[in-house]
């Protein structure tokens, strides 16, 4: 996927054969997703579908699943989020969160072991009720060396979209122009599919993004282009602790 992957484990299987097997299963799942969905591989199912060489029904079932998620996001965003732009199919805004969430399922077999899987900086976490929650830092998109806030996550996910690492790359599909009103959006949700799509959608919506998150009862942090930080959230979802 052209991105970094890391895994933190704590508990019974922190550094043993089951832990290595869990890591291997995570990587195998991510590589499989890359083979199906990579837009950089001419022979991937999604590339062939985009060129019209095959139909959705010819593809593995996960292709239809991802495209359905993309269509739902298009409708809910009023067209700001779309896997189709100018006749080009690119479901990347769905795939990373979907693939990471699916890969994390393999870690559920590690009994009495908490996990925190990070794919490209987006994380999916699980911790036992008796354990401390994972503490996820949210970087400042204007200065990634700084941490804007810390959110405790016991079972859930955190995803961010912005310009910090890839520059201006998110497009508002309604206009076809690169979204540039915000510096960054972070969303906390029960799963990484929801968090990842919501963060990208809110960023693409620009000035409308914070209200969109409120309307969808999501928790997050919105950083405007001028550095203004706005916390979005409703109880009982996790509260973001902003740092001074």
């Amino acid at each position: 996927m052209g991105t970094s992957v890391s895994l933190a484990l704590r508990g019974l299987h922190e550094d043993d054969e089951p832990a290595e097997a869990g890591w291997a299963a995570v990587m195998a799942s991510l590589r499989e997703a890359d083979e199906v969905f990579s837009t950089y591989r001419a022979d991937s199912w999604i590339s062939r579908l985009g060129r019209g060489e095959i139909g959705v029904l010819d593809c593995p079932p996960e292709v239809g699943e991802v495209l359905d998620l993309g269509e739902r996001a298009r409708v809910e965003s009023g067209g700001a989020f779309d896997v189709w732009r100018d006749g080009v199919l690119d479901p990347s805004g769905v795939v990373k969160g979907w693939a990471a969430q699916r890969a994390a399922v393999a870690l559920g077999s590690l009994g009495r072991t908490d996990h925190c899987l990070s794919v490209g900086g987006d994380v999916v976490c699980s911790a036992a009720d008796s354990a401390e929650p994972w503490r996820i830092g949210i970087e400042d998109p204007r200065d990634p060396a700084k941490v804007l806030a810390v959110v405790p996550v016991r079972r859930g996910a955190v995803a961010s979209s912005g310009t910090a690492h890839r520059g201006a790359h998110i497009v508002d599909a309604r206009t076809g122009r690169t979204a540039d009103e915000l510096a960054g959006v972070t969303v906390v949700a029960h799963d990484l599919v929801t968090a990842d799509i919501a963060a990208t959608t809110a960023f693409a919506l620009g000035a409308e993004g914070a209200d969109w998150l409120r309307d969808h009862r999501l928790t997050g942090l919105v950083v405007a282009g001028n550095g203004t930080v706005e916390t979005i959230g409703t109880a009982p979802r996790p509260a973001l602790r902003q740092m001074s």
Side-chain angles (χ1 to χ4, degrees):
M1 294 184 183
T3 191
S4 60
V5 181
S6 64
L7 173 64
L9 298 173
R10 64 186 189 194
L12 180 62
H13 299 295
E14 292 182 355
D15 186 16
D16 57 10
E17 288 187 8
E20 291 292 336
W23 172 247
V26 165
M27 293 306 297
S29 179
L30 292 174
R31 291 190 182 100
E32 179 185 351
D34 188 63
E35 291 175 359
V36 173
F37 291 104
S38 175
T39 57
Y40 299 99
R41 301 173 59 139
D43 62 344
S44 72
W45 289 95
I46 209 70
S47 292
R48 295 173 61 200
L49 178 63
R51 293 194 299 267
E53 297 173 2
I54 55 175
V56 174
L57 295 180
D58 300 314
C59 298
E62 54 263 36
V63 171
E65 180 182 346
V66 164
L67 293 182
D68 285 347
L69 289 167
E71 176 60 14
R72 187 188 313 166
R74 185 192 68 80
V75 172
E76 292 183 352
S77 69
F81 184 112
D82 199 341
V83 299
W84 284 95
R85 289 197 305 273
D86 299 325
V88 176
L89 175 60
D90 183 0
S92 302
V94 178
V95 169
K96 185 174 72 168
W98 174 88
Q101 186 71 47
R102 186 180 74 155
V105 171
L107 301 171
S109 62
L110 298 177
R112 290 184 287 169
T113 306
D114 301 336
H115 66 261
C116 182
L117 175 64
S118 172
V119 178
D122 296 339
V123 299
V124 54
C125 303
S126 178
D129 292 338
S130 58
E132 288 293 318
W134 294 96
R135 290 170 51 82
I136 308 302
I138 300 173
E139 68 182 18
D140 186 340
R142 291 159 54 89
D143 183 359
K146 296 180 180 179
V147 176
L148 278 182
V150 175
V151 56
V153 180
R154 191 174 301 282
R155 278 179 291 275
V158 182
S160 297
S161 291
T163 60
H165 298 285
R166 296 179 58 193
H169 67 285
I170 298 173
V171 173
D172 180 346
R174 299 170 301 180
T175 64
R177 295 194 295 270
T178 302
D180 58 6
E181 292 182 280
L182 301 178
V185 175
T186 296
V187 173
V188 183
H190 56 83
D191 67 90
L192 193 51
V193 177
T194 299
D196 193 23
I197 291 176
T200 303
T201 296
F203 191 92
L205 286 166
E208 307 166 49
D211 286 338
W212 186 88
L213 291 175
R214 289 191 190 92
D215 291 343
H216 288 76
R217 295 177 54 78
L218 291 165
T219 293
L221 202 69
V222 176
V223 183
N226 63 6
T228 301
V229 179
E230 185 174 1
T231 301
I232 312 296
T234 56
R237 290 171 173 77
L240 295 170
R241 180 184 302 171
Q242 218 164 304
M243 302 183 70
S244 59

